[in-house]
DNA sequence: TCTTAATGTTACAGAAATATTACAAATTAA
DNA sequence: TTAATTTGTAATATTTCTGTAACATTAAGA
C-alpha cells in the first residue's frame, strides 16, 4: 500500500515529471501551482508527504511551512523542500523550519524518490517497505539490522548498503559497475576490484554456521544474491 | 511491453529505415532531423533510449550528448551514437562522452537492434525480453542461468554467449565466421577451429542425461540449434 | 574402397578472473 | 586525544576459462 503525496511547485514541467513518475511508482499524487490554493487543497487531500517549492510566486515556501506546522492536523506532515541551487541551502538546513529534508534543483527523479522513501520510512513506516527478506535473510531498514535465521548479524555501513542493494533484486546479476553506481555515493572513485573485497566481507558475515552461500559469483558478469 | 526510442539523425533515409523497423519490433519511435529541435522534442518525448548521429548539420552529437548529461532528468538516458566509418571511432570510444555504445555506418538493422536491446537490458530491463527458450532449453539473461528440462546447467562465459546467440535464431545455420563476429568481442583474433572446441564444450554441457542433441553440425556451412 | 577434407576429441599451457590477505589511511567512537 | 572500526588498494594465491595443437573420426566423392 502506497501513500499520498502533494506537490506545491510553480514550474509546471517539474510537477508533471515528478507527478507522473510518482504515480508510476504507485503513489496517489495531487498538486498545485501556487501557494495559497495549494495550502487549501492540501488540507482537503490529506497527503502523507508534501513536496514544497522554496520560491513560489505568492507565498514563500517557508510561510507555507509555518502555516502547516501551526495546524494541529498537519503538524507532523513530512515536508521535502525543493530549492534552486544557490537559494541559501544553509539557511534551510540550519533554520529549523520544520522541514524533513530538502533537495536541490535540478535533481534526478531517482534521487527524489529515494529521499521521499527515506522520509516516509521514518514518518509512516507502513507506506514504504522497510523489511527486505530473502530466504532466511532479513534486513530492517529502519533499525538498520540484519538477521540470518533470526540470528543478528553485524555489518559495516558499506556491507549493509551492499546487501540492501542485492535484496532489492534477488537473483539478478549485477556487474561491478552497476554495483558501484548504486551502492557507492555518487562521484566516488573506487577501484572496481574493491567490490570483490566487500563481497568477501559480506559473505563472511552472512554465511554463519556453515549455512549455504547466498552470494553467487557469475564469472565475467558480476554477483547476485543466489 | 516495449519502450520509447528517439532518433536524431539528418539522413532521412536512415531515419526512415530504422524507425520503420523499430516500430515493427514494437518500439514507440520519434525522430528529428536536426540537433537543436531534436533536443527539445526529445525532452518532451521522454524516451528510454536515444540514437544519435555523431555529425549533424547544426549541433555536433557530442554537444547534444553533453547537454543531455547536464539535464538531471536525462542524466542516465542511454545513448547509442551513430558514426560514419573513419569518424575517429577511437575518440568516441576513449573520450568518455557518456555514450553507452556506438555503431558504425553503414550498419545492418539487426546489428543495431541487438545493440539497442543490449543497452536497454542494462538500463531498463523490463522493456526487453530477458528469457530465451527453445524446446526444453531456457536461458535467463538477467539471472545468467541456463536450464535444460528445468535442471540448471553450468556454463562458462563464452559458452553462455554462444548459446545465447544460437537461441536468438534457432534452426538457423551460422558459419564459423558469423559466430566469431557476433559471439566474440570485437577485434579479437581467434582460430576458426576454436569454435569447434567451444561447440563441443557447449554440447557436452547441455546434453545431459542422454537427452537429444540440440546442436546440429551442417557440414561445410556451420552449426545451428537443431 | 581409398582419399581427402571437414569435423570431433583431448590435453595442456597460458591467460584472465576472482579470492584472499595484509596493511595503511580515513573515519568514527570512546 | 586515543582506540576501534571501517575502507580502499595492492600484492599474492587460487580458480576457472581459453585457445591451440595434435591426433582421431567421419562423411562424401572418385
Amino acid at each position: 500500500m502506497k501513500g499520498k503525496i502533494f506537490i506545491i511547485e510553480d514550474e509546471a514541467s517539474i510537477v508533471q515529471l515528478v507527478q507522473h513518475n510518482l504515480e508510476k511508482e504507485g503513489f496517489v499524487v495531487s498538486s498545485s501551482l501556487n501557494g495559497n490554493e495549494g495550502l487549501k487543497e492540501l488540507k482537503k487531500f490529506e497527503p502523507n508527504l508534501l513536496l514544497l517549492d522554496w520560491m513560489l510566486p505568492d507565498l514563500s515556501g517557508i510561510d507555507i511551512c509555518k502555516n502547516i506546522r501551526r495546524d494541529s492536523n498537519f503538524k507532523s506532515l513530512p515536508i521535502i523542500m525543493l530549492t534552486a541551487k544557490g537559494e541559501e541551502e544553509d539557511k534551510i538546513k540550519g533554520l529549523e523550519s520544520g522541514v524533513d529534508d530538502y533537495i536541490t534543483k535540478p535533481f534526478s527523479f531517482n534521487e527524489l524518490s529515494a529521499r521521499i522513501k527515506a522520509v516516509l520510512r521514518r514518518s509512516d513506516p507502513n507506506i514504504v517497505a522497510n523489511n527486505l527478506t530473502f530466504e532466511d535473510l532479513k534486513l530492517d531498514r529502519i533499525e538498520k539490522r540484519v538477521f540470518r535465521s533470526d540470528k543478528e548479524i553485524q555489518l559495516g555501513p558499506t556491507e549493509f548498503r551492499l546487501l540492501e542493494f542485492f535484496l532489492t533484486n534477488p537473483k539478478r546479476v549485477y556487474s561491478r559497475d552497476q554495483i558501484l553506481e548504486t551502492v557507492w555515493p555518487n562521484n566516488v572513485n573506487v577501484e572496481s576490484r574493491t567490490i570483490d573485497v566487500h563481497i568477501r566481507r559480506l559473505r563472511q558475515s552472512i554465511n554463519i554456521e556453515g549455512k549455504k552461500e547466498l552470494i553467487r559469483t557469475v564469472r565475467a558478469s558480476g554477483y547476485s544474491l543466489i
Side-chain angles (χ1 to χ4, degrees), chain A:
Chain A
M1 205 200 75
K2 294 283 191 157
K4 289 153 77 181
I5 296 181
F6 197 80
I7 308 173
I8 304 180
E9 157 72 60
D10 63 316
E11 284 180 62
S13 60
I14 294 191
V15 173
Q16 199 183 8
L17 179 94
V18 172
Q19 178 152 6
H20 172 252
N21 279 290
L22 285 176
E23 283 168 350
K24 229 169 50 183
E25 290 206 355
F27 291 101
V28 176
V29 185
S30 181
S31 60
S32 170
L33 295 168
N34 82 56
N36 279 307
E37 276 183 31
L39 210 40
K40 282 180 216 156
E41 291 177 33
L42 177 155
K43 297 193 176 180
K44 261 186 272 173
F45 185 65
E46 299 188 351
N48 301 98
L49 182 145
L50 168 65
L51 294 180
L52 178 58
D53 191 11
W54 172 253
M55 289 293 278
L56 289 164
D58 50 349
L59 275 176
S60 90
I62 204 148
D63 292 330
I64 296 184
C65 213
K66 282 182 192 161
N67 182 310
I68 289 173
R69 291 293 180 241
R70 264 197 305 274
D71 186 328
S72 61
N73 293 321
F74 297 94
K75 202 178 294 173
S76 58
L77 173 65
I79 299 175
I80 295 180
M81 198 69 101
L82 310 174
T83 75
K85 200 160 192 86
E87 272 175 12
E88 24 199 6
E89 306 175 17
D90 311 318
K91 277 201 183 168
I92 303 173
K93 208 175 188 177
L95 194 81
E96 303 197 344
S97 52
V99 171
D100 294 82
D101 198 0
Y102 72 106
I103 187 168
T104 306
K105 295 188 246 181
F107 49 78
S108 76
F109 176 74
N110 282 340
E111 195 186 339
L112 177 62
S113 168
R115 289 185 187 233
I116 288 175
K117 283 172 189 160
V119 170
L120 282 180
R121 195 165 288 132
R122 271 179 284 150
S123 68
D124 231 327
N126 295 333
I127 290 175
V128 186
N130 289 303
N131 285 299
L132 296 168
T133 64
F134 177 76
E135 300 198 354
D136 61 345
L137 209 57
K138 199 169 77 188
L139 180 149
D140 186 322
R141 287 169 139 161
I142 297 199
E143 299 183 11
K144 302 262 179 208
R145 288 171 191 273
V146 173
F147 301 86
R148 173 120 197 228
S149 296
D150 296 318
K151 194 167 176 325
E152 182 162 5
I153 286 162
Q154 231 47 50
L155 294 181
T158 304
E159 276 69 61
F160 186 91
R161 291 200 309 276
L162 189 56
L163 179 59
E164 187 180 10
F165 172 65
F166 278 122
L167 278 166
T168 58
N169 266 106
K171 298 189 173 190
R172 174 165 174 182
V173 177
Y174 289 100
S175 70
R176 290 183 176 69
D177 281 346
Q178 289 175 313
I179 295 173
L180 263 188
E181 267 179 40
T182 318
V183 175
W184 267 257
N186 282 334
N187 318 321
V188 174
N189 257 40
V190 273
E191 218 41 58
S192 155
R193 307 254 86 239
T194 298
I195 290 173
D196 301 26
V197 179
H198 283 283
I199 289 283
R200 159 149 174 83
R201 290 173 180 154
L202 180 55
R203 275 179 167 151
Q204 225 158 17
S205 302
I206 67 179
N207 289 355
I208 53 173
E209 295 165 16
K211 285 197 188 290
K212 92 170 187 209
E213 177 70 54
L214 284 181
I215 293 175
R216 170 173 62 123
T217 303
V218 182
R219 198 159 230 259
S221 294
Y223 298 95
S224 80
L225 193 58
I226 287 296

